C-alpha cells in the first residue's frame, strides 16, 4: 500500500491507495460552518466506479456515484456542493439523524416514571429528527479512517445530558464503509450513561435516474417487502395501528413506479401525508441478519439500489415538501418528487406506543443500526 499527499483547496488531502481491487479513501476540505468550524469530506472509491462521499457536518452522505448499463456514472443522492448550503437547508439531505429519527408526538415521552419534554421543531406539534439542533446540525469528529479492501471512515459525536430535552450523555458513532461488491454499509452505534431513547438513521434522498434528472424520481420503480404499514393522524404521528398494505396504494410488495398511485386522493393517508410519508413494517425478524428492506430501480438507466436492514421498519418519504427553494449539486432546482427517502429505523413515536418495538437504551448496552446500500445494474 502506498500513501500520497496532494494539494487541494489550499490545504492538504491525504490519499490512500492499494491494489487495483481495493477501495481507496481521499480526504479534503469542504468549507466551514458560520461559526468557523471546519468541515471535511471523505470519498470512498472502489475499482468498479462506485464512490461515496461523506462530510463531517451531520455525518452526511453527500454523494453516491453509480454507473448505469452503459457505464455512465451519475450521482443518485440529492445534496449540495458546500457546507454553508447544508447548514442553511432544513431538508436533512443525506444526514445522520438522531437522537430519535422521525417524529415523537407532542415532543413528550415517559421513561421510568418521569416525563421528558423535547424541543418542538415540527410545526409546534412534534419533535422531529432529534430536535432544533439534532445530530444532523453538528460537526462530527473523525475517529478513524481505513483504506481497502474495504475503505471506511468512522465519525463520532457526544450529545450531552439534556441535549434537546433528552436524558443521558450519548456517545454516537457513524461508520461508512465501501467494498468491492458495490456495497456501502452504514453502521450507527450509541452508548449512554443513563437510561434514554435512541433511534438513528440516514436521511438520504435518492433518485436512481440521477440527482437532478429532469423527470424526477417518480418513474423509479420501488419494491418494499412489507405486509403492513403504520397509518398516521393529521400531524403525521402513527395512530398505533398496523394496516395491511394489500389492496391499497401502499402495496409495494411487487415492483411499482413511485408515482403510479401517489395522487390517489381516494386514500386519506396519501392526502394527509401529501404523498408517501409513512413507516413500513418490514417482513422478517428485526435485530438479526440483514434482509431486503427496499429496492429502487430506474428502468431507463438500469441502475438499481437495494437497501438491506436489520431494523423493524423503514420510512418511505416521497419528497413531498421539496418546493424548488434550493439548487442542488447539478445546478437544478429540487422540486416535489425529485428524490425519495428510504430510512431503516424503529417506528415513529415508538416511546409512546408500547405495542411498537422498544427504543430504550440503558447504560452498559449498545444501540446499533446497520444498513447496506448496494448499487448494481439490472440484467
Amino acid at each position: 500500500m502506498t500513501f500520497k499527499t496532494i494539494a487541494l483547496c489550499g490545504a492538504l488531502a491525504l490519499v490512500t491507495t492499494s491494489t487495483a481491487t481495493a477501495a481507496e479513501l481521499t480526504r479534503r476540505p469542504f468549507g466551514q460552518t458560520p461559526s468557523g468550524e471546519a468541515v471535511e469530506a471523505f470519498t470512498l472509491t472502489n475499482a468498479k466506479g462506485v464512490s461515496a462521499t461523506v462530510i463531517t457536518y451531520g455525518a452526511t452522505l453527500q454523494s453516491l456515484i453509480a454507473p448505469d448499463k452503459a457505464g455512465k456514472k451519475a450521482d443518485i443522492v440529492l445534496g449540495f456542493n458546500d457546507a454553508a448550503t447544508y447548514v442553511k437547508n432544513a431538508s436533512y439531505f443525506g444526514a445522520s439523524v438522531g437522537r430519535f429519527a422521525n417524529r415523537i408526538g407532542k415532543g413528550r415521552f415517559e421513561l421510568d416514571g418521569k416525563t421528558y419534554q423535547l424541543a418542538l421543531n415540527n410545526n409546534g406539534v412534534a419533535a422531529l429528527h432529534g430536535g432544533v439542533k439534532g445530530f444532523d446540525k453538528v460537526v462530527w469528529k473523525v475517529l478513524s479512517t481505513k483504506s481497502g479492501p474495504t475503505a471506511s471512515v468512522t465519525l463520532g459525536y457526544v450529545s450531552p445530558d439534556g441535549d434537546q430535552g433528552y436524558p443521558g450523555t450519548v456517545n454516537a458513532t457513524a461508520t461508512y464503509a465501501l467494498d468491492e461488491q458495490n456495497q456501502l454499509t452504514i453502521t450507527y452505534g450509541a452508548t449512554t450513561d443513563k437510561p434514554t431513547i435512541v433511534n438513528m438513521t440516514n436521511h438520504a434522498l435518492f433518485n436512481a435516474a440521477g440527482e437532478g434528472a429532469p423527470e424526477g424520481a417518480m418513474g423509479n420503480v420501488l419494491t418494499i417487502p412489507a405486509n403492513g404499514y403504520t397509518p398516521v393522524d393529521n400531524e403525521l404521528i402513527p395512530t398505533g395501528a398496523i394496516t395491511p398494505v394489500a389492496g391499497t396504494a401502499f402495496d409495494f410488495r411487487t415492483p411499482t413506479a413511485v408515482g403510479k398511485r401517489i395522487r390517489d386522493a381516494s386514500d386519506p393517508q396519501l392526502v394527509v401525508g401529501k404523498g408517501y410519508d409513512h413507516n413500513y413494517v418490514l417482513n422478517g425478524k428485526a435485530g438479526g441478519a440483514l434482509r431486503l428492506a427496499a429496492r429502487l430501480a430506474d428502468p431507463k438507466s438500469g441502475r438499481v439500489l437495494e437497501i438491506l436492514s436489520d431494523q423493524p421498519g423503514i420510512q418511505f418519504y416521497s419528497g413531498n415538501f421539496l418546493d424548488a427553494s434550493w439548487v442542488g449539486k447539478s445546478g437544478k432546482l429540487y422540486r416535489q418528487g425529485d428524490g425519495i427517502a428510504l430510512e431503516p429505523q424503529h417506528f415513529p413515536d415508538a416511546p409512546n406506543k408500547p405495542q411498537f418495538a422498544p427504543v430504550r437504551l440503558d447504560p452498559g448496552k449498545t444501540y446499533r443500526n446497520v444498513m447496506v446500500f448496494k448499487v448494481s445494474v439490472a440484467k
Side-chain angles (χ1 to χ4, degrees), residues 299-323:
K300 291 183 180 180
S301 68
R303 291 190 192 89
V304 176
L305 172 68
E306 292 178 302
I307 301 176
L308 310 179
S309 170
D310 62 355
Q311 297 295 286
I314 188 167
Q315 182 81 7
F316 168 32
Y317 166 61
S318 52
N320 313 326
F321 300 105
L322 302 180
D323 61 0

Side-chain angles (χ1 to χ4, degrees), residues 42-350:
F42 295 81
T43 299
L44 316 172
T45 306
N46 71 13
K48 297 179 180 178
V50 174
S51 69
T53 297
V54 180
I55 62 172
T56 53
Y57 183 78
T60 294
L61 178 61
Q62 188 265 343
S63 172
L64 181 58
I65 305 295
D68 67 5
K69 57 189 177 184
K72 182 181 178 181
K73 298 178 183 178
D75 193 344
I76 62 172
V77 169
L78 277 62
F80 308 108
N81 287 321
D82 60 273
T85 308
Y86 277 99
V87 173
K88 294 175 184 176
N89 184 265
S91 296
Y92 304 98
F93 289 162
S96 295
V97 290
R99 289 185 195 186
F100 196 91
N102 219 301
R103 296 172 176 87
I104 296 179
K106 296 180 173 55
R108 290 199 299 267
F109 69 95
E110 186 177 297
L111 194 64
D112 295 335
K114 181 177 179 180
T115 299
Y116 293 90
Q117 179 63 58
L118 308 174
L120 293 174
N121 64 320
N122 186 216
N123 299 321
V125 298
L128 175 66
H129 293 328
V132 175
K133 190 176 182 180
F135 290 179
D136 61 295
K137 296 180 180 66
V138 297
V139 177
W140 292 50
K141 181 180 179 181
V142 180
L143 300 181
S144 66
T145 61
K146 188 173 69 173
S147 58
T150 298
S152 67
V153 56
T154 297
L155 306 174
Y157 176 66
V158 178
S159 175
D161 185 20
D163 187 9
Q164 305 300 298
Y166 291 92
T169 298
V170 166
N171 280 271
T173 58
T175 298
Y176 290 81
L178 178 66
D179 63 22
E180 287 301 320
Q181 286 69 52
N182 296 341
Q183 297 181 131
L184 176 67
T185 300
I186 305 176
T187 303
Y188 291 116
T191 59
T192 183
D193 63 354
K194 68 170 65 170
T196 190
I197 59 172
V198 175
N199 179 33
M200 299 170 64
T201 192
N202 187 277
H203 198 281
L205 275 84
F206 298 103
N207 183 353
E211 174 270 342
E215 64 270 27
M218 293 298 96
N220 283 197
V221 175
L222 177 64
T223 308
I224 301 178
N227 295 332
Y229 78 101
T230 53
V232 297
D233 62 20
N234 289 333
E235 307 299 344
L236 299 181
I237 306 299
T239 63
I242 294 176
T243 298
V245 300
T248 76
F250 289 82
D251 191 349
F252 285 90
R253 291 175 297 175
T254 58
T256 305
V258 171
K260 182 177 181 179
R261 300 168 299 202
I262 199 168
R263 291 179 171 82
D264 183 0
S266 67
D267 192 317
Q269 284 293 303
L270 287 178
V271 175
V272 72
K274 295 181 172 59
Y276 298 100
D277 196 358
H278 296 75
N279 168 69
Y280 280 73
V281 181
L282 291 172
N283 298 341
K285 181 182 177 182
L290 296 172
R291 81 276 200 211
L292 183 69
R295 182 181 189 273
L296 193 66
D298 175 46
K300 291 183 180 180
S301 68
R303 291 190 192 89
V304 176
L305 172 68
E306 292 178 302
I307 301 176
L308 310 179
S309 170
D310 62 355
Q311 297 295 286
I314 188 167
Q315 182 81 7
F316 168 32
Y317 166 61
S318 52
N320 313 326
F321 300 105
L322 302 180
D323 61 0
S325 296
W326 296 92
V327 179
K329 289 175 284 189
S330 61
K332 303 292 179 61
L333 291 169
Y334 286 150
R335 311 153 305 166
Q336 186 180 52
D338 275 353
I340 70 169
L342 295 162
E343 309 160 70
Q345 60 187 332
H346 275 266
F347 298 173
D349 204 37

